[in-house]
């Protein structure tokens, strides 16, 4: 079992402990009423995703997304008129949508890319709060000045990565795809490809948390993202009041520059998306 942290007001518990929660019906207002009654927001997230969300040696949740959750907690507390705590419900990509649908959490707050397929299953809150683009990791000494420099070259990637098709189609890359990230990493080490491609935020996190120097002989190429996939908070369909409250919160995050400041605090290079959103909402 994960520990409760009084210093942050975050509760992190094993998923099995919340299995008894009843799934809420999806009419406006009910979920906010539940949040008020229990004085707690339940959030499905990946608790092993540093420096977005992770648990320190005392079991305290920390990270960029945790800081944003803390702000969200305060703002939702004003909406319901009560001080709130946050309960982190540990999830994986394979079960987070199911957990939300079954009522094990009030929302999903993680590095969840908005896709047409996911939009059929869950309600994404707009505006989206962050974004990730493609990044290339190479051995040190490889110099790539533009995406055109990878034309005709092998790039290691995960099967099904959203970056595979545009790289093959627009840049003539030969994608060498594997089922696991471990295989992708090893193939780069073995020289089977000039680079590996992944979300730039994932690669940044990899180097920010590389305390053992696993990647000391590698680097991220400084190339502008040719596309960015937005990340969104997600709730159940029909949850209109909670959706509106979260929309107001993410709008304020962009207008105030909070997302940019929080990303920088944890060592991330904020995406162009964040600066564009700040410009958009500052003017409204």
């Amino acid at each position: 079992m994960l520990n409760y942290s009084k210093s942050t007001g975050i509760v992190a518990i094993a998923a099995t402990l919340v299995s008894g929660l009843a799934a809420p019906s999806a009419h406006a207002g009910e979920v906010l009423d539940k949040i008020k009654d229990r004085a707690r927001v339940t959030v499905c997230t990946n608790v092993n995703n540093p420096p977005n969300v992770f648990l320190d040696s005392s079991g305290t949740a920390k990270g960029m997304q945790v800081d944003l959750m803390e702000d969200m907690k305060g703002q939702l507390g004003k909406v319901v008129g009560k001080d709130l705590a946050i309960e982190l419900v540990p999830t994986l990509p394979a079960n987070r949508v199911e957990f939300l649908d079954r009522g094990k959490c009030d929302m999903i707050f993680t590095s969840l890319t908005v896709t047409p397929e996911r939009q059929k299953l869950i309600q994404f809150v707009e505006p989206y709060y962050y974004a990730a683009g493609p990044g290339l990791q190479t051995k040190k000494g490889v110099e790539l000045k533009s995406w055109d420099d990878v034309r005709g070259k092998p790039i290691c990637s995960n099967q099904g990565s959203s970056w595979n098709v545009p790289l093959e189609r627009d840049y003539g890359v030969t994608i060498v795809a594997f089922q696991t990230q471990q295989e992708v990493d090893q193939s780069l080490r073995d020289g089977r490809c000039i680079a590996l491609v992944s979300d730039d935020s994932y690669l940044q996190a990899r180097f920010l948390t590389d305390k053992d120097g696993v990647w000391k002989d590698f680097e991220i190429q400084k190339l502008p993202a040719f596309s960015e996939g937005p990340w969104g908070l997600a709730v159940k369909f029909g949850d209109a009041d909670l959706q509106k409250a979260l929309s107001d919160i993410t709008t304020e995050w962009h207008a105030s520059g909070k997302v940019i400041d929080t990303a920088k605090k944890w060592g991330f290079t904020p995406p162009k998306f964040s600066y564009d959103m700040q410009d958009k909402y500052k003017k409204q």
Side-chain angles (χ1 to χ4, degrees), residues 138-146 149 194 219 221 223:
T138 67
K139 291 182 178 179
K140 288 183 176 178
V142 174
E143 185 176 0
L144 300 174
K145 295 181 179 179
S146 74
D149 289 346
I194 190 175
E219 62 186 346
Q221 293 291 315
L223 299 177

Side-chain angles (χ1 to χ4, degrees), residues 12 21 37 100 149-150 191 231 238 267:
L21 292 177
D37 289 344
L100 176 66
D149 289 346
V150 298
W231 297 355

Side-chain angles (χ1 to χ4, degrees), residues 90-117:
T91 55
L92 299 171
N95 62 18
R96 57 196 174 193
V97 172
E98 176 191 357
F99 274 29
L100 176 66
D101 186 60
R102 291 170 57 189
K104 291 188 174 184
C105 56
D106 301 318
M107 70 184 73
I108 301 173
F109 192 154
T110 187
S111 309
L112 185 64
T113 303
V114 180
T115 67
E117 293 75 22

Side-chain angles (χ1 to χ4, degrees), residues 227-257:
S227 178
E228 289 181 331
W231 297 355
L233 307 185
V235 298
K236 293 181 68 172
F237 285 117
D239 196 352
D241 283 6
L242 180 58
Q243 182 184 348
K244 172 63 166 58
L246 293 175
S247 177
D248 290 344
I249 290 170
T250 53
T251 297
E252 190 278 330
W253 285 350
H254 290 307
S256 67

Side-chain angles (χ1 to χ4, degrees), residues 12 49 65 67-68 105 117 125-126 134 144 171-172 180 184 196 207 226 235 284:
N49 185 27
Q65 291 169 356
D67 283 0
L68 293 175
C105 56
E117 293 75 22
V125 174
E126 297 186 51
L144 300 174
Y171 297 98
T180 68
V184 175
L196 67 78
F207 281 85
F226 57 74
V235 298
Q284 293 187 358

Side-chain angles (χ1 to χ4, degrees), residues 4 7 15 64 83 89 124 134 205 228 233 270:
Y4 170 69
S7 62
M64 182 186 85
D83 290 340
V89 181
F124 282 98
E228 289 181 331
L233 307 185

